[in-house]
Amino acid sequence: GYDCDGNFIISPGDNFQGGIVYYIDESGEHGLIAAPNDLADLYEWGCNDHEVAGADEHEIGFGLQNTNDIINDACASGPEMTAAEASAAYENDGYNDWHLPSRIEMQNFVGFNVFYVPLLEDDFYWTSTEESEFGAWKINHITQSFCPNCDKSTLGKVRPVRYF
């Protein structure tokens, strides 16, 4: 796990900080970790027929902000937990800073999943990226299908991620 200079080396597929590393940035020091398993239940994205201010970012590094925007929006409170709330409530190996990934954060799992197929199922997973007041992005990694404006009231799988 160390190079010749004593620097810790992290590679995709490594178990690290409560999950599995699946993306590393150009610095080699930061990236994304996926929870080792999907959450047990299926969730709605929430905020049906309502646009959440700020939850429309697609890029890496914005999943946490999108998740917080969804949770902090008044529409998200209700009897059923949303995908964002379930991701934020997740805890594993003492790590409790998980979030619902942005579209690109989740999309990076597509290439990763080619080598680690058992990690994801043939189903649609929610992202934290909202497309409109009626829909948000879902991705199926096995079929590499995208649903850019999926009805936010439908149920979907959730795989929390965290930054390192």
Side-chain angles (χ1 to χ4, degrees):
Y2 293 89
D3 66 13
C4 294
D5 296 322
N7 299 314
F8 185 65
I9 299 172
I10 302 169
S11 300
D14 288 352
N15 288 313
F16 185 65
Q17 295 184 353
I20 302 164
V21 175
Y22 75 97
Y23 170 82
I24 300 172
D25 70 8
E26 293 175 3
S27 76
E29 298 176 10
H30 303 285
L32 287 160
I33 298 169
N37 299 298
D38 298 337
L39 297 185
D41 295 325
L42 299 176
Y43 298 90
E44 289 185 14
W45 195 89
C47 299
N48 307 324
D49 303 331
H50 174 81
E51 191 167 344
V52 176
D56 58 353
E57 296 292 341
H58 294 256
E59 299 301 321
I60 291 173
F62 287 98
L64 180 59
Q65 184 60 52
N66 285 349
T67 299
N68 289 336
D69 290 339
I70 297 163
I71 291 169
N72 293 330
D73 195 290
C75 73
S77 59
E80 299 295 323
M81 196 175 260
T82 66
E85 290 169 327
S87 294
Y90 179 74
E91 185 174 330
N92 193 44
D93 287 346
Y95 294 93
N96 61 2
D97 57 345
W98 301 85
H99 63 271
L100 189 62
S102 69
R103 180 181 65 86
I104 302 295
E105 288 172 354
M106 186 57 112
Q107 238 177 285
N108 271 279
F109 233 133
V110 173
F112 176 78
N113 199 42
V114 169
F115 302 105
Y116 301 94
V117 175
L119 288 178
L120 298 170
E121 295 181 19
D122 187 3
D123 206 342
F124 278 93
Y125 288 75
W126 279 120
T127 76
S128 62
T129 304
E130 182 181 53
E131 187 65 23
S132 71
E133 67 267 23
F134 305 107
W137 282 80
K138 277 185 180 177
I139 297 176
N140 182 318
H141 297 88
I142 304 301
T143 63
Q144 297 187 18
S145 302
F146 301 91
C147 181
N149 204 17
C150 280
D151 183 339
K152 293 193 273 184
S153 66
T154 61
L155 297 176
K157 296 189 81 58
V158 173
R159 178 66 68 101
V161 302
R162 63 182 299 277
Y163 302 122
F164 71 89

